[in-house]
Amino acid sequence: MTGNDDLELPAEWDADEDPQRDRRGGRRAALIALGLVAVLVLGVGLVVGNYLRGLQNSYEKRTVVEITRGPSDGEAPAPVEGSGQNFLLLGSDKRSPEAAAASGVYGQRSDVMMLVHVSEDKDAVYVMSFPRDLYVDIPGHGKDRINAALAFGGVSLAVTTVENYVGVPIDHVALVDFDGIQGLVDTLGGVEVQVPTNFTADGHTFTKGMQQMNGEQALVFVRQRKQFADGDFQRNRNQQALLKGIADKLISRDTLTDPGKLADTVESISPFLTTDAGLSSTEMVQLGLSLRSIRGGDIYYLSVPHGEPTTTSGGASVVATDEEEMAVLREALRTDSMGTYYAQNAGRY
């Protein structure tokens, strides 16, 4: 590693689309965009004492992609610089260690997509889910489901599509696959997840309330949608519930003060992680230091505004947009006023 071998920690640092495809690949779409774990929470973990260099070496096993931003087709204004940082987190429905070794990740659909906004003062993190079937403009391809952008043009087009839609630049992007997530949960010794209602799936029983889950159970939990009246919308909420459970466990003192567990955690997810080239280990360390005061209660979960499910003229099932409410979110992102936005809109979608 270069560039940060001599990095010293501050003295105050305390480690304290079509139905057939949906059936095949959609069931594997539990990918929860847990890039939040890799990009933010693991960023905190990477700065722990004398274990810094080894953890960086593990992190560098990830695949790196160059982001080339494309045009907006004149249908959306250019993203406007604002305060804070914005991360795009993608979960791919077709990944493997071999696929993770190849750049570009073309030909995949991102069945999980989240925007993470980190406040300018680094005191709060806001995680916003996109419905996978949200019907938006994809540069060069007209209107389509937002999750198709990754298939049409890889990570670069996914970034451009989201930037055009949310109106602010994406600073970094991360893509992670389900194998990494299962390993991550198991490495942590399981996580506690809030289950919304009683249901069974794939031989597992889920009981309303807080439930301890291993990696296999966690993936079954976030794959389900047919058990719920609002289908994909509840699946989004379940994905966020798992993400919260993982984040809480990762930033607990039990994890951050256990160098072996921390190293194993980074090791378990790195081979399944793709990020932009700018998210280097140096950047991760800096990000981790800046977020060292973040705890589970400082991470807020919500959905981007959207309309109701509808059908296109071609017969495709999609989710309509809500431009009036999106304008409010765009302004909150640009002005770093997400705290006010969350207070007024949490739980609306």
Side-chain angles (χ1 to χ4, degrees), residues 247-269:
D248 287 348
K249 189 69 172 284
L250 271 170
I251 58 183
S252 69
R253 181 174 292 274
D254 287 345
T255 299
L256 291 182
T257 56
D258 185 338
K261 180 180 289 187
L262 194 60
D264 289 345
T265 299
V266 178
E267 186 80 22
S268 70
I269 198 170

Side-chain angles (χ1 to χ4, degrees), residues 118-191:
V118 180
S119 63
E120 183 72 18
D121 58 14
K122 302 298 189 292
D123 284 343
V125 176
Y126 299 89
V127 183
M128 291 153 275
S129 293
F130 294 83
R132 66 174 188 170
D133 293 336
L134 192 67
Y135 200 51
V136 302
D137 291 312
I138 299 180
H141 299 273
K143 294 184 75 69
D144 208 320
R145 299 179 178 94
I146 196 168
N147 74 336
L150 187 66
F152 290 150
V155 171
S156 291
L157 185 58
V159 168
T160 299
T161 299
V162 173
E163 282 187 336
N164 289 345
Y165 189 62
V166 301
V168 292
I170 301 300
D171 296 289
H172 294 293
V173 61
L175 182 149
V176 68
D177 81 280
F178 75 100
D179 285 334
I181 299 314
Q182 180 165 345
L184 175 59
V185 171
D186 286 335
T187 299
L188 290 171
V191 298

Side-chain angles (χ1 to χ4, degrees), residues 258-334:
D258 185 338
K261 180 180 289 187
L262 194 60
D264 289 345
T265 299
V266 178
E267 186 80 22
S268 70
I269 198 170
S270 291
F272 305 96
L273 176 66
T274 299
T275 73
D276 64 278
L279 197 57
S280 64
S281 58
T282 300
E283 179 70 15
M284 286 286 287
V285 168
Q286 293 171 346
L287 179 62
L289 286 170
S290 72
L291 293 172
R292 61 185 178 272
S293 66
I294 291 290
R295 296 295 180 266
D298 303 315
I299 304 176
Y300 303 92
Y301 303 86
L302 64 162
S303 175
V304 299
H306 58 78
E308 296 297 321
T310 187
T311 303
T312 68
S313 58
S317 298
V318 298
V319 174
T321 58
D322 186 335
E323 280 302 312
E324 183 175 346
E325 293 299 324
M326 272 302 301
V328 179
L329 175 58
R330 291 173 186 131
E331 180 67 9
L333 288 169
R334 186 182 66 80

Side-chain angles (χ1 to χ4, degrees), residues 93-134:
D93 67 354
K94 186 180 180 182
R95 295 286 284 160
S96 68
E98 293 76 18
S103 62
V105 291
Y106 293 96
Q108 302 175 65
R109 294 211 172 205
S110 176
D111 282 305
V112 180
M113 181 178 287
M114 294 181 185
L115 177 69
V116 175
H117 178 80
V118 180
S119 63
E120 183 72 18
D121 58 14
K122 302 298 189 292
D123 284 343
V125 176
Y126 299 89
V127 183
M128 291 153 275
S129 293
F130 294 83
R132 66 174 188 170
D133 293 336
L134 192 67

Side-chain angles (χ1 to χ4, degrees), residues 17-34 90-100 107-113 132 147 150 175-182 202 215-216 218-226 232 235 239 242 272:
E17 20 344 309
D18 78 283
Q20 184 177 6
R21 179 182 178 86
D22 183 71
R23 288 193 296 271
R24 292 196 314 267
R27 289 175 302 179
R28 301 174 55 200
L31 305 252
I32 8 172
L34 292 178
L90 305 171
S92 167
D93 67 354
K94 186 180 180 182
R95 295 286 284 160
S96 68
E98 293 76 18
Q108 302 175 65
R109 294 211 172 205
S110 176
D111 282 305
V112 180
M113 181 178 287
R132 66 174 188 170
N147 74 336
L150 187 66
L175 182 149
V176 68
D177 81 280
F178 75 100
D179 285 334
I181 299 314
Q182 180 165 345
D202 295 343
E216 180 182 354
L219 288 181
V220 171
F221 173 70
V222 294
R223 286 171 179 158
Q224 308 312 310
R225 62 186 179 88
K226 293 184 179 180
D232 279 330
R235 179 163 62 177
Q239 291 165 0
L242 176 58
F272 305 96

Side-chain angles (χ1 to χ4, degrees), residues 4-5 7 14 20 30 47 50 107 144 155 180 274 278 297 335 341:
N4 41 331
D5 287 353
L7 179 67
D14 182 3
Q20 184 177 6
V47 300
N50 296 328
D144 208 320
V155 171
T274 299
T335 60
Y341 180 88

